[in-house]
Amino acid sequence: MTTTGPAVAPQPRGRLRTAAHLARRPRVRALLLYVAYMLTTFVAGLAVKAIVPHWSGTAQSLVTMIPLVVLVTVLVMRFGGWHAAGFTPPRQWRDLRLLVLPALLVFTPLVAGFAPVEPGLLTMLVVGYALTGFMEEAMWRGVIPHVLRPTGVLSSALLGSALFGAAHLSNILFRENPALVASQAVGAFCFGVGYAALRHRTGTIWPLMVLHMATDLFAATGAVPKIPILVAQDVILLVFGLILLRRPRTPANDAAPP
């Protein structure tokens, strides 16, 4: 006797056509993900500022990050999964020697020691930068490169980094200096190029999350002036990343394109 499986409701042709169209246009998908990220940031940020207007900008940005962490976690699972986003086991890591220069840059703010920081603020910084390291690397060196992979390594790195830099424009919610926010966006682009190249060459984002967290934390707690150090780091990472991207590799164990 022949049995049939459960009936599957047909999908509207328009919806299927739209999904297929987006799948063939990775740049459009990446832009839509950027819009979703920014909308979440602004809605959460404005809500936090309205509910607790007396909190510091640092505290407000920390709370704003929570819905972003949720969003990025959902996107990782939706677009390829954890492995495709760079959460790979150590046996699949490669070219780890490339991490030496970024690791050295991380410690440059500490050449003159630590600046005095109150314990409460230090705790807030550690938690906030740990969440930032996870969230930004999972999104901008995980989900976005996976979506943009059909465009090629160089194009993916540059466009993903441009979106990463543009995402920092949302800092205007917590800082009153537009020039400083704009410079942060440019610096984030440079930083992103370096880290995108490292993500491609090493096959993992685990060490990048740690380095990202340490970069922000040590810049905030080191005795050396923060802005000159960050500018120097970003310029070096930009040049370093472009050099690495001139000789791209396509390892066999990289995840397949979406």
Side-chain angles (χ1 to χ4, degrees):
M1 180 176 62
T2 303
T3 59
T4 59
V8 178
Q11 295 293 323
R13 289 185 178 180
R15 184 181 302 173
L16 291 175
R17 189 177 297 113
T18 300
H21 181 66
L22 288 177
R24 292 193 300 268
R25 301 191 65 182
R27 294 181 180 86
V28 175
R29 299 176 74 189
L31 184 59
L32 290 175
L33 291 176
Y34 167 79
V35 171
Y37 182 95
M38 293 297 282
L39 284 175
T40 302
T41 302
F42 275 99
V43 170
L46 292 174
V48 169
K49 290 177 72 68
I51 295 171
V52 284
H54 58 284
W55 283 14
S56 68
T58 301
Q60 290 176 341
S61 62
L62 175 60
V63 176
T64 300
M65 204 177 304
I66 296 175
L68 283 173
V69 170
V70 174
L71 171 68
V72 171
T73 300
V74 171
L75 292 179
V76 168
M77 294 186 292
R78 170 63 180 83
F79 290 90
W82 297 98
H83 185 275
F87 292 86
T88 52
R91 67 178 181 276
Q92 295 183 358
W93 300 358
R94 56 188 182 270
D95 289 344
L96 296 184
R97 67 185 185 280
L98 297 176
L99 298 172
V100 173
L101 176 59
L104 292 175
L105 293 177
V106 165
F107 290 97
T108 51
L110 305 181
V111 293
F114 286 93
V117 181
E118 296 181 358
L121 177 58
L122 180 60
T123 300
M124 188 182 303
L125 292 175
V126 171
V127 173
Y129 290 141
L131 290 176
T132 299
F134 163 77
M135 180 266 295
E136 292 190 343
E137 292 306 314
M139 179 70 178
W140 305 108
R141 259 71 67 185
V143 173
I144 294 300
H146 182 68
V147 170
L148 289 174
R149 177 169 173 160
T151 68
V153 174
L154 181 60
S155 176
S156 171
L158 294 179
L159 179 55
S161 299
L163 294 175
F164 176 57
H168 283 70
L169 295 175
S170 63
N171 287 337
I172 196 67
L173 288 170
F174 311 107
R175 295 174 175 84
E176 298 180 356
N177 189 335
L180 178 59
V181 172
S183 66
Q184 287 178 328
V186 174
F189 166 76
C190 299
F191 179 96
V193 171
Y195 271 50
L198 289 169
R199 160 70 179 95
H200 174 71
R201 294 292 295 270
T202 63
T204 179
I205 66 171
W206 286 112
L208 301 185
M209 289 191 299
V210 175
L211 291 175
H212 192 148
M213 171 192 173
T215 296
D216 292 341
L217 181 62
F218 292 164
T221 59
V224 176
K226 179 178 180 178
I227 293 180
I229 284 292
L230 289 177
V231 170
Q233 289 177 341
D234 291 338
V235 171
I236 293 172
L237 285 172
L238 173 63
V239 174
F240 184 58
L242 291 175
I243 292 173
L244 295 181
L245 291 169
R246 287 184 60 189
R247 296 179 296 169
R249 296 177 54 181
T250 309
N253 62 351
D254 274 3

